[in-house]
């Protein structure tokens, strides 16, 4: 029995006490795992806080336009003058003549219709980081006449009710035509286009930043416009 135990002890290797230390190979593997973990953590932190994937600037701009559909970029406020003459006859003889002049405040809005804009209206220069946008012609609203604040000057010995109604109706029609003509004045259109360019730039700034193009510039043009510069001296109000 004793001989059997002695032989077993000779076969079983003795256990050495190393204090729980790794050998050289184990230390290298542990260091490699720690390094890989550190690199992974740094990559995830950079991805979460610093990395910004660049998107498609044209798609971002089109999406911004689709969300608005149309945009009022400018409003022009002015006064128009209309004048009419009414003559009343009795027995074929002109006896009563009435003259009426009216000064009516008016306003016209200018807007851009984005619904018809497609991808061909955009051109992206990646090297210069410039987005060129070609806009459709500006659309003008029907003139809004503030007849409640109109100033009326009437000249005549006796103004019948029918004459007063006819004069007022005629002056209103004249005022609307003159307001529409004034709205298409080249100086006013130049101011409206300038306001439209700035409005489009502001509307595309954030979508381009979100797409990863923080330093991108936007060049806004109109497909039908001549070379024009806004001139001073016209009373207008910019819609912001």
């Amino acid at each position: 029995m004793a001989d059997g135990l002695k032989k077993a002890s000779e076969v079983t290797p003795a256990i050495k006490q190393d204090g729980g230390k790794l050998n050289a190979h184990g230390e290298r593997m542990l260091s490699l795992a720690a390094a890989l973990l550190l690199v992974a953590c740094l990559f995830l932190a950079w991805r979460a806080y610093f990395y910004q994937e660049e998107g498609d600037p044209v798609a971002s701009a089109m999406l911004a336009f689709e969300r608005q559909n149309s945009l009022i970029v400018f409003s022009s406020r002015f006064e128009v003058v209309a004048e009419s003459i009414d003559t009343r006859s009795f027995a074929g003889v002109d006896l009563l003549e009435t003259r009426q002049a009216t000064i009516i405040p008016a306003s016209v809005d200018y807007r851009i219709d984005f619904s018809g804009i497609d991808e061909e209206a955009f051109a992206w220069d990646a090297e210069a980081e410039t987005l060129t946008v070609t806009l459709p012609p500006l659309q003008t609203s029907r003139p809004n006449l503030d007849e409640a604040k109109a100033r009326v000057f009437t000249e005549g010995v006796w103004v019948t009710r029918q004459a007063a109604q006819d004069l007022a109706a005629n002056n209103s029609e004249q005022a609307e035509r003159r307001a529409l003509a004034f709205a298409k004045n080249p100086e006013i259109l130049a101011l409206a286009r300038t306001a439209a360019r700035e409005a489009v730039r502001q509307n595309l700034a954030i979508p381009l930043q979100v797409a990863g193009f923080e330093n991108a510039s936007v060049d806004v043009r109109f497909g039908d416009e001549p070379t024009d510069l806004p001139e001073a001296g016209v009373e207008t109000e910019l819609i912001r």
Side-chain angles (χ1 to χ4, degrees):
M1 184 69 178
D3 292 340
L5 292 175
K6 184 177 180 180
K7 292 180 179 179
S9 63
E10 292 176 355
V11 174
T12 304
I15 300 175
K16 297 180 180 180
Q17 300 292 330
D18 58 3
K21 295 182 179 179
L22 293 174
N23 56 25
H25 178 70
E27 290 180 353
R28 287 196 299 270
M29 294 300 295
L30 182 60
S31 299
L32 179 60
L36 291 175
L37 181 60
L38 178 60
V39 171
C41 291
L42 291 175
F43 172 77
L44 292 176
W46 170 77
R47 181 85 181 186
Y49 298 102
F50 300 100
Y51 174 77
Q52 188 173 26
E53 184 178 0
E54 291 187 349
D56 185 349
V58 173
S60 300
M62 291 185 63
L63 181 60
F65 283 175
E66 288 175 359
R67 289 176 177 175
Q68 295 191 70
N69 192 34
S70 66
L71 178 66
I72 295 178
V73 296
F74 192 77
S75 180
S76 179
R77 290 177 170 83
F78 47 90
E79 290 183 334
V80 290
V81 180
E83 184 176 357
S84 301
I85 298 176
D86 180 84
T87 302
R88 297 288 157 171
S89 301
F90 294 93
V93 180
D94 295 338
L95 297 178
L96 296 176
E97 180 178 283
T98 305
R99 183 189 304 268
Q100 187 177 88
T102 308
I103 303 175
I104 307 177
S107 63
V108 175
D109 292 333
Y110 299 77
R111 71 182 183 93
I112 302 174
D113 184 7
F114 294 139
S115 62
I117 293 182
D118 54 18
E119 190 173 352
E120 294 181 356
F122 302 90
W124 171 247
D125 186 341
E127 183 177 354
E129 288 196 359
T130 300
L131 179 65
T132 301
V133 184
T134 303
L135 298 177
L138 281 173
Q139 295 183 357
T140 57
S141 66
R142 181 177 178 179
N144 181 21
L145 302 179
D146 191 357
E147 299 192 58
K149 295 182 180 180
R151 289 170 287 171
V152 181
F153 305 91
T154 304
E155 180 182 309
V157 177
W158 180 41
V159 183
T160 65
R161 177 180 298 180
Q162 186 62 45
Q165 293 177 352
D166 292 345
L167 288 168
N170 190 42
N171 281 348
S172 294
E173 293 178 2
Q174 283 190 46
E176 184 171 347
R177 290 195 303 269
R178 293 183 179 183
L180 189 57
F182 181 84
K184 296 180 179 179
N185 183 294
E187 295 180 0
I188 303 299
L189 287 176
L191 291 174
R193 286 182 175 130
T194 299
R197 293 187 190 97
E198 184 60 27
V200 170
R201 289 191 190 101
Q202 293 178 1
N203 277 266
L204 293 182
I206 293 180
L208 288 175
Q209 290 178 4
V210 172
F213 301 95
E214 296 182 355
N215 298 322
S217 60
V218 181
D219 182 16
V220 183
R221 304 173 181 175
F222 286 88
D224 66 335
E225 71 175 339
T227 302
D228 53 9
L229 293 174
E231 299 183 18
V234 181
E235 182 180 355
T236 55
E237 179 175 342
L238 178 63
I239 298 298
R240 297 187 182 275

